[in-house]
């Protein structure tokens, strides 16, 4: 058989998942959408403006009731109080300079947290603007309607929402179908379809019905709606420390206690040696010994991690979910709409032996002119690319010239067209076309049957094309190859996940033959064919028993058990309320491929925390070389050999180290908010890069910074 042409979809603009709204373009209206208005730049100018605006909030956070939540910064706060009292009792430039910069250290730590929280508050303010005081038409048991305030609705109430009215609360559509404007929630200007009885029945309070009318059963209490939860989450009011964050806090606390005991033990030794140290010097030593950098930025890193997800239109129900995404080792992905476009598309027209390409192309085009299914449209597009313009224009006039089109039915499994001159074209399932041909005295060529079997065995769908001309027996002209097309770039993305050490598993309801073909083309590591909800649950539990964290996406009620069982469950915003309640993340864009981005963001959070922890501990080494010699060089002149930076005096060395300790916090705020850039690589490669960049950098940077500060400080009357 002769292939006439083979094409792939040129873009995603003309395809969509069956039964779902088509692709939606992000509107660019400059501020109405949650994410667009909440997103902030990390440029130096923008950061400086944010630091200034959050200064009052940072000052308010100096309250010890807030500071004590961070043990490291609480020790710095206590040290600041001690040095301030000492400076008042025994004033000197040295005492006051140290006191001011110790307070600055605590203030800068508060600023880092305040800037991160400020982003969430900007997003929350935008969300609050979407909430409207509205009324609802509640249906009474006798079928009549009463008008009540939306705040008076309770779980189980049934309300009727008419065109141009606001949905009064979260719920499920139980009657009707309508287009709904969800731009206030998702930032997408194109409306979506919500209907009863399917996976697109959930509606969110605050959205607007544009056409038709729907009846909604309320599923949440006032104050507990989806928007209310979003406001609380993006504001950080519900943010709890994750297990890794708690573990790191414990480590920092232990290190702080160890260094505190070491400094306390140092004073008796200094007194015995005849070189007693003032409380100010001991406090300065303690502050420079403990890991103040990561202690100051730890909270900001966690808040910024959730903020980065929100910037991708993903709402995480907890920081634990974001962190778990970074540790995911198995990724379950639905085939339809995630790995593939979801609609079968024509990828080739194969002519029967002995026939030219023009005949099968013309027949496929004519028989699909009235076929409005995605498959039919793709056949028209494929054939049109092979037809010359005059021929195509002539065929397009057939409906006006009296041609009769035969619609596809489940019984015939064929469609086609009868032309005015008596010519009849048919296309459809190979066995249906074969019966039509044989009933009119024709037969199916063996070459066509071979090609049909080949397409079917590869996981594709073969459609036969036939023609019956006046006075002649029907002829089979060739075969159309339909297949579920894998999205471009998916194989490369799965290769990246494999490099991260993540196993990808495709979930599909297709038969094993089709699943094998798609899995091989997409490059996934494994697949689960003919999957049922029970099969998904069993697979997740099996992976978890092996000590692996599992992530998956879902949108239907039947996905809810698996979403709840998985460690990272991402529900589509277009899905049912049951799916969204079971998941720990909601994708407002309803893009199933977003799960890959979520994993990358989770890993970026963990890498950022690890990188700044490495930098914080490493930069303490340089501070030891500044303060230790300065404290005891008079008593032990040999310690001057450790003054490799050549600092001017003991006083300037101590002050320079404390100033650097404060300024490095400000310098690292942009990195903590933006996150360390993540590259797909194995754990060994990531560790090596972390040690080289942030470990070595953490040692070198303080040597340079402290020396530069010392050149300035040495001219002060300390």
């Amino acid at each position: 058989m002769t292939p006439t042409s083979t094409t792939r979809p040129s873009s995603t603009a003309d395809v969509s998942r069956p039964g779902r709204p088509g692709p939606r373009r992000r509107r660019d209206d400059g501020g109405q959408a949650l994410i667009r208005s909440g997103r902030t730049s990390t440029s130096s100018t923008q950061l400086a403006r944010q630091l200034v605006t959050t200064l009052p909030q940072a000052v308010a956070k100096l309250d010890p009731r807030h500071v004590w939540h961070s043990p490291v910064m609480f020790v710095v706060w206590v040290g600041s109080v001690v040095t301030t009292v000492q400076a008042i009792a025994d004033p000197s430039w040295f005492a006051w300079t140290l006191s001011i910069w110790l307070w600055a250290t605590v203030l800068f730590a508060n600023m880092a947290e305040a800037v991160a929280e400020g982003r969430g508050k900007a997003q929350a303010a935008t969300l609050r603007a979407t909430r409207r005081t509205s009324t609802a038409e509640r249906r009474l048991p006798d079928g009549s309607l009463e008008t009540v305030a939306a705040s008076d609705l309770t779980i189980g109430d049934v309300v009727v929402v008419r065109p141009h009215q606001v949905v009064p609360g979260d719920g499920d559509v139980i009657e009707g179908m309508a287009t709904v404007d969800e731009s206030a929630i998702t930032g997408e200007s194109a409306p979506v379809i919500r209907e009863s009885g399917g996976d697109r029945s959930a509606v969110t309070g605050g959205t607007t019905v544009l056409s038709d009318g729907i009846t909604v059963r309320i599923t949440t209490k006032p104050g507990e709606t989806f928007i209310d939860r979003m406001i609380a989450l993006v504001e950080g009011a519900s943010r709890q420390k994750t297990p890794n964050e708690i573990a790191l806090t414990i480590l920092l606390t232990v290190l702080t206690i160890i260094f505190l005991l070491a400094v306390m033990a140092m004073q008796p030794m200094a007194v015995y040696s005849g070189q007693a140290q003032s409380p100010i010097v001991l406090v300065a030593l303690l502050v420079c010994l403990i890991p103040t950098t990561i202690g100051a930025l730890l909270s900001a890193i966690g808040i910024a991690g959730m903020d980065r997800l929100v910037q991708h239109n993903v709402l995480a129900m907890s920081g634990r979910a974001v962190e778990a995404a970074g540790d995911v080792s198995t990724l379950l992905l639905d085939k339809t709409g995630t790995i593939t476009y979801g609609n079968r598309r024509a990828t080739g027209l194969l002519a029967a032996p002995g026939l030219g390409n023009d005949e099968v192309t013309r027949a496929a085009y004519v028989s699909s002119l009235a076929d409005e299914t995605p498959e039919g449209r793709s056949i028209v597009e494929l054939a049109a690319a092979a037809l010359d313009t005059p021929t195509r224009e002539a065929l397009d006039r057939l409906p006006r010239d009296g041609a009769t089109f035969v619609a596809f039915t489940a019984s015939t499994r064929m469609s086609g067209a009868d032309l005015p001159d008596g010519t009849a074209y048919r296309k459809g399932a190979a066995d249906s076309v074969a019966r039509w041909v044989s009933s009119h005295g024709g037969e199916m060529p063996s070459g066509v049957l071979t090609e049909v079997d080949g397409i079917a065995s590869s996981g594709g769908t073969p459609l036969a094309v036939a023609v019956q001309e006046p006075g002649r027996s029907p002829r089979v002209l060739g075969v159309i190859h339909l297949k579920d097309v894998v999205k471009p770039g998916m194989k490369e993305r799965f290769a990246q996940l494999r490099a991260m050490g993540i196993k990808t598993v495709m979930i599909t309801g297709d038969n094993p033959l089709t699943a094998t073909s798609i899995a091989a083309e997409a490059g996934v590591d494994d697949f689960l064919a003919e999957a049922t909800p029970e099969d998904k649950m069993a697979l997740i539990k099996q992976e978890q028993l092996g000590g692996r964290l599992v992530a998956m996406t879902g949108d239907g009620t039947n996905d809810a058990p698996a979403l709840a069982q998985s460690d990272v469950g991402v529900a589509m915003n277009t899905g049912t309320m049951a799916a969204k309640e079971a998941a720990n993340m909601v994708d407002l864009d309803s893009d199933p491929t977003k799960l890959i981005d979520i994993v990358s963001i989770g890993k970026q959070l963990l890498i950022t925390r690890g990188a700044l922890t490495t930098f914080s501990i490493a930069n303490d080494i340089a501070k030891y070389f500044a303060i230790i010699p300065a404290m005891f060089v008079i008593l032990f002149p040999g310690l001057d050999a450790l003054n490799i930076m050549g600092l001017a005096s003991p006083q300037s060395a101590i002050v320079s180290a404390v100033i650097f300790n404060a300024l490095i916090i400000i310098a690292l705020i942009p990195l903590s908010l933006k996150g360390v850039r993540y590259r797909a690589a194995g754990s060994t490669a990531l560790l090596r890069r972390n040690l080289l960049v942030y470990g070595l950098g953490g040692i070198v940077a303080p040597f340079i910074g402290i020396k530069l500060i010392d050149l300035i400080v040495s001219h002060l009357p300390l």
Side-chain angles (χ1 to χ4, degrees):
M1 300 183 74
T2 307
T4 62
S5 61
T6 302
T7 63
R8 295 180 70 85
S10 58
S11 69
T12 61
D14 56 351
V15 291
S16 60
R17 186 171 180 173
R20 294 196 178 283
R24 303 179 296 180
R25 297 184 180 274
R26 182 179 299 282
R27 67 177 182 179
D28 200 11
D29 56 6
Q32 296 303 313
L34 160 65
I35 305 307
R36 296 185 62 84
S37 61
R39 187 176 297 172
T40 53
S41 169
T42 55
S43 67
S44 57
T45 303
Q46 184 71 17
L47 177 60
R49 186 181 303 114
Q50 290 174 338
L51 290 175
V52 172
T53 56
T54 57
L55 182 58
Q57 184 181 354
V59 173
K61 287 177 178 288
L62 291 175
D63 186 332
R65 291 171 298 180
H66 171 81
V67 179
W68 80 270
H69 290 289
S70 173
V72 176
M73 298 317 299
F74 183 69
V75 169
V76 180
W77 184 91
V78 173
S80 303
V81 173
V82 171
T83 55
T84 302
V85 172
Q86 181 73 16
I88 294 174
D90 185 13
S92 68
W93 274 96
F94 179 69
W96 279 112
T97 301
L98 281 181
S99 297
I100 291 172
W101 280 102
L102 288 175
W103 282 115
T105 302
V106 183
L107 188 66
F108 292 163
N110 292 343
M111 278 185 171
E113 184 178 14
V115 169
E117 290 178 348
R119 297 184 174 197
K121 290 182 178 180
Q123 295 158 355
T126 304
L127 280 173
R128 285 195 178 92
T130 68
R131 296 194 300 188
R132 311 175 190 176
T133 302
S134 59
T135 59
E137 294 184 72
R138 181 166 57 188
R139 179 181 292 175
L140 300 176
D142 60 3
S144 62
L145 299 177
E146 66 170 348
T147 301
V148 298
S151 57
D152 293 335
L153 295 174
T154 59
I155 296 176
D157 283 348
V158 176
V159 298
V160 175
V161 188
R162 307 182 191 279
H164 308 297
Q165 289 184 345
V166 176
V167 178
D170 294 354
D172 291 319
V173 179
I174 59 175
E175 294 178 15
M177 179 177 69
T179 55
V180 179
D181 177 10
E182 295 186 341
S183 58
I185 307 298
T186 66
E188 302 288 350
S189 57
V192 297
I193 297 175
R194 291 289 178 263
E195 59 185 344
S196 61
D199 288 347
R200 296 178 290 124
S201 61
V203 289
T204 305
T207 58
T208 304
V209 174
L210 299 180
S211 66
D212 306 294
I214 51 177
T215 302
V216 178
R217 177 178 287 112
I218 301 298
T219 57
T220 57
K221 299 177 181 178
E224 298 179 3
T225 65
F226 191 61
I227 290 183
D228 291 318
R229 284 185 292 156
M230 287 175 70
I231 291 172
L233 287 165
V234 299
E235 266 188 325
S238 334
R239 195 187 87 85
Q240 296 179 346
K241 288 186 176 182
T242 63
N244 282 350
E245 192 174 351
I246 293 173
L248 182 55
T249 301
I250 294 173
L251 173 62
L252 297 180
T253 303
V254 171
L255 289 176
T256 301
I257 294 173
I258 291 174
F259 286 124
L260 177 60
L261 294 176
V263 171
M264 291 173 62
M266 192 175 292
Q267 181 68 339
M269 296 171 58
V271 171
Y272 177 78
S273 301
Q275 187 67 27
Q277 301 295 323
S278 70
I280 294 180
V281 173
L282 293 175
V283 168
L285 174 63
L286 176 61
V287 170
C288 289
L289 286 177
I290 63 178
T292 52
T293 306
I294 185 61
L297 298 174
L298 186 58
S299 179
I301 293 171
I303 296 172
M306 294 188 69
D307 177 70
R308 280 193 292 275
L309 268 184
V310 174
Q311 291 180 15
H312 283 74
N313 267 16
V314 177
L315 179 66
M317 300 305 179
S318 69
R320 184 187 298 267
V322 184
E323 192 171 271
D327 286 329
V328 161
S329 53
T330 301
L331 202 56
L332 306 186
L333 296 154
D334 184 36
K335 174 185 76 71
T336 305
T338 304
I339 297 174
T340 67
Y341 284 113
N343 296 319
R344 295 174 303 172
R345 295 182 59 86
T347 59
L349 300 174
L350 307 174
L355 297 181
N357 296 337
D358 292 342
E359 284 191 88
V360 66
T361 303
R362 176 188 173 94
Y365 189 87
V366 173
S367 60
S368 302
L369 276 175
D371 189 348
E372 294 300 330
T373 64
E375 292 85 353
R377 294 297 87 204
S378 71
I379 295 171
V380 171
E381 292 172 9
L382 182 63
L387 294 171
D388 57 71
T389 302
T391 301
R392 188 170 63 251
E393 291 176 348
L395 296 178
D396 288 339
R397 290 194 296 269
L398 289 176
R400 298 193 299 272
D401 294 341
T404 302
F405 291 93
V406 179
F408 175 88
T409 65
S411 58
T412 63
R413 297 166 63 206
M414 289 192 306
S415 63
D418 296 331
L419 306 189
D421 63 2
T423 303
Y425 291 100
R426 293 293 184 272
K427 84 161 193 306
D431 56 343
S432 298
V433 171
R435 284 194 297 270
W436 181 79
V437 169
S438 62
S439 67
H440 292 79
E443 62 180 13
M444 180 79 80
S446 59
V448 172
L449 291 174
T450 300
E451 195 62 39
V452 166
D453 292 340
I455 293 174
S457 63
S458 68
T461 302
L463 297 181
V465 182
V467 62
Q468 183 178 22
E469 297 162 320
R472 299 180 61 181
S473 298
R475 295 179 298 136
V476 178
L477 302 178
V479 181
I480 303 171
H481 186 177
L482 294 180
K483 64 178 298 186
D484 199 356
V485 179
V486 174
K487 294 179 179 179
M490 294 304 295
K491 194 164 190 175
E492 290 74 15
R493 299 196 76 176
F494 291 143
Q496 292 176 355
L497 291 171
R498 196 172 298 111
M500 301 179 198
I502 297 176
K503 174 185 176 183
T504 53
V505 181
M506 181 183 75
I507 308 295
T508 178
D510 289 337
N511 61 69
L513 194 62
T514 301
T516 301
S517 174
I518 296 296
E521 185 177 352
V524 295
D525 298 315
D526 200 357
F527 66 87
L528 179 64
E530 298 177 342
T532 64
E534 292 78 14
D535 294 333
K536 295 178 186 178
M537 284 285 290
L539 177 60
I540 293 173
K541 290 180 179 179
Q542 178 184 346
E543 292 291 322
Q544 290 172 333
L545 286 175
R548 292 177 286 272
L549 297 186
V550 180
M552 74 161 289
T553 60
D555 53 14
T557 301
N558 63 336
D559 291 324
L563 287 171
Q565 178 66 36
S566 59
D567 300 284
V568 179
V570 184
M572 302 296 100
N573 192 44
T574 55
T576 62
M577 193 62 67
K580 288 193 278 189
E581 291 291 341
N584 49 27
M585 292 188 187
V586 176
D587 177 16
L588 302 180
D589 288 335
S590 298
D591 176 10
T593 62
K594 191 76 68 67
L595 186 56
I596 299 175
D597 297 322
I598 291 172
V599 171
S600 296
I601 292 171
K603 286 188 173 295
Q604 185 185 37
L605 170 64
L606 296 178
I607 290 173
T608 301
R609 186 184 296 151
L612 292 182
T613 301
T614 302
F615 184 91
S616 177
I617 295 175
N619 73 24
D620 288 340
I621 296 176
K623 289 180 264 184
Y624 303 159
F625 283 92
I627 291 188
I628 299 293
M631 291 177 63
F632 299 103
V633 69
I634 297 176
L635 185 62
F636 304 106
L639 288 176
D640 190 57
L642 296 179
N643 185 18
I644 60 178
M645 288 181 278
L647 302 179
S649 67
Q651 289 80 8
S652 69
I654 295 172
V655 171
S656 298
V658 171
I659 292 176
F660 176 84
N661 195 61
L663 293 180
I664 197 63
I665 295 173
I666 289 291
L668 291 177
I669 287 178
L671 184 61
S672 66
L673 297 180
K674 185 179 180 181
V676 175
R677 183 181 177 185
Y678 173 68
R679 296 183 180 91
S683 56
T684 303
L686 290 174
L687 177 61
R688 185 186 306 113
R689 175 173 174 265
N690 184 51
L691 292 177
L692 287 176
V693 176
Y694 297 97
L696 184 60
I699 295 175
V700 174
F703 278 94
I704 299 174
I706 292 175
K707 178 59 179 178
L708 293 176
I709 296 172
D710 179 72
L711 294 176
I712 300 173
V713 171
S714 60
H715 297 289
L716 297 177
L718 297 176

